[in-house]
Amino acid sequence: MSVQISEVEYGNYGKCIRMTNGEKELIATADMGPCIIRYGYIGEDNMFFEDVDKTATNDITDSPYEADEWWVVGGHRLWCSPELFPRTYYPNMKKLDVKIDGNTATFTSPMQEWSQIVTAIKVTMDENGNVKLTHSVTNKNAWDIELAPWTISVMNGGGVAYIPQNKRKTGFFPNKWVCYWDYTPMNDSRISLGEDYITVSMDSTKELAAKIGVLNEHGWMVYLNKGNAFIKKFGFIEGANYPDNGCNCESYTCKNYTEMECLSPMVKVPMGGIATHEEEWVLKKANNIEEV
């Protein structure tokens, strides 16, 4: 099937760009972001969470930005690690520069106030409705900065995230570890450490969030929900300096959604330089992890 790209109005997100192969569709915002707000089968539920009612916001009134609130929005976004206030919580509510070329659309933000970076997501959909993404962070400062491109896919509630356990033989040395954020109990019922997979699920009755991180040598993670599998593929570089005590794969869950997060290694980005992170997305029918 050939890929069609068109301009649409979507929900409360204003002008958006829709990409479809006739079976699957991806919708990305043009009036804010960059953010991919929807990915799923046509006529079926969004794989991503949509924060239409602004249920998840952060007060940033003490930041140097014009806005006084950061809104989670939902969907898939690009951040920079390490997580710092106020740099990380940039409002991202300004119109994007959108360029379309064949079956590819590139969404570029204006330069961020104060942090002096430009973020962009280049999206290419193939005839099967699968997606390749290049995320980029351009340094517009007059000096070098150090960061890691960090992508966050905010998944719709009701599903389970699967992170494969490392299997590489390392003899006397460890081949796997799990980092827990300080608000996360080690016996949190939403997190299961299995032989083959770590799973993270949402519980709408729990007020407190939970987050873990791992070094994922396989370079993929999966979210299963309502008979569909969202497969997120990313790079792994052995020995690289990954953020958060060596994590390239993280998952955060709260009462509304579960996040699938990927990180590139920490890099020094020179003045005018660009740091990138690439992913591939596959959407398929599956009722359990064995079918993926």
Side-chain angles (χ1 to χ4, degrees):
M1 300 179 186
S2 62
V3 174
Q4 303 295 320
I5 300 180
S6 59
E7 182 180 311
V8 297
E9 294 284 329
Y10 182 74
N12 294 338
Y13 299 100
K15 176 183 171 182
C16 295
I17 301 299
R18 178 178 184 260
M19 310 175 74
T20 179
N21 73 331
E23 178 189 27
K24 306 167 188 175
E25 64 180 354
L26 178 149
I27 297 177
T29 58
D31 286 341
M32 57 189 294
C35 172
I36 299 170
I37 196 60
R38 173 175 167 80
Y39 185 48
Y41 285 95
I42 294 173
E44 295 189 22
D45 287 349
N46 192 355
M47 292 301 292
F48 294 144
F49 171 72
E50 297 179 29
D51 191 15
V52 176
D53 299 321
K54 290 194 173 183
T55 59
T57 61
N58 286 67
D59 182 357
I60 55 171
T61 51
D62 294 330
S63 79
Y65 307 132
E66 293 177 4
D68 60 3
E69 180 183 76
W70 176 82
W71 173 31
V72 74
V73 179
H76 173 87
R77 66 182 184 271
L78 169 61
W79 266 6
C80 297
S81 187
E83 187 170 356
L84 298 169
F85 182 88
R87 185 191 73 178
T88 302
Y89 293 88
Y90 185 74
N92 281 338
M93 298 304 292
K94 296 185 178 180
K95 292 182 184 296
L96 307 179
D97 176 54
V98 180
K99 289 186 168 55
I100 297 173
D101 182 13
N103 61 339
T104 298
T106 303
F107 304 85
T108 305
S109 73
M111 186 177 69
Q112 295 184 1
E113 308 160 32
W114 190 70
S115 55
Q116 306 290 295
I117 63 172
V118 173
T119 60
I121 304 179
K122 179 181 178 181
V123 186
T124 301
M125 177 178 281
D126 67 22
E127 61 183 10
N128 296 312
N130 300 322
V131 180
K132 290 186 178 181
L133 306 99
T134 299
H135 308 78
S136 62
V137 181
T138 302
N139 178 18
K140 295 293 187 178
N141 288 279
W143 47 79
D144 297 349
I145 57 175
E146 190 170 11
L147 54 79
W150 172 19
T151 64
I152 301 176
S153 300
V154 188
M155 309 308 297
N156 214 344
V160 179
Y162 287 79
I163 303 171
Q165 292 277 28
N166 295 337
K167 297 292 186 178
R168 182 167 56 94
K169 300 301 182 183
T170 53
F172 295 112
F173 299 97
N175 72 341
K176 60 179 74 72
W177 57 89
V178 181
C179 295
Y180 285 76
W181 269 246
D182 68 352
Y183 48 84
T184 308
M186 294 192 75
N187 63 348
D188 194 296
S189 60
R190 293 168 289 186
I191 301 168
S192 175
L193 306 182
E195 178 65 23
D196 296 318
Y197 300 98
I198 297 170
T199 60
V200 180
S201 56
M202 191 194 88
D203 186 341
S204 59
T205 67
K206 289 185 179 289
E207 289 297 322
L208 296 179
K211 182 174 179 177
I212 61 166
V214 303
L215 183 67
N216 179 346
E217 297 183 354
H218 295 276
W220 58 267
M221 58 195 309
V222 174
Y223 190 75
L224 290 176
N225 197 8
K226 298 180 181 178
N228 294 325
F230 171 74
I231 306 166
K232 185 178 169 88
K233 301 179 182 180
F234 49 94
F236 164 68
I237 302 174
E238 186 174 349
N241 179 27
Y242 285 102
D244 300 336
N245 295 318
C247 295
N248 70 336
C249 181
E250 298 171 355
S251 185
Y252 169 96
T253 190
C254 62
K255 65 180 181 179
N256 294 316
Y257 54 82
T258 296
E259 293 180 347
M260 298 171 66
E261 308 179 10
C262 300
L263 302 103
S264 285
M266 293 291 296
V267 292
K268 183 172 286 187
V269 187
M271 176 180 63
I274 302 174
T276 61
H277 170 85
E278 295 186 349
E279 288 185 8
E280 295 184 25
W281 295 352
V282 175
L283 181 62
K284 63 180 294 187
K285 295 293 181 181
N287 291 301
N288 52 63
I289 192 65
E290 287 74 23
E291 293 178 356
V292 173

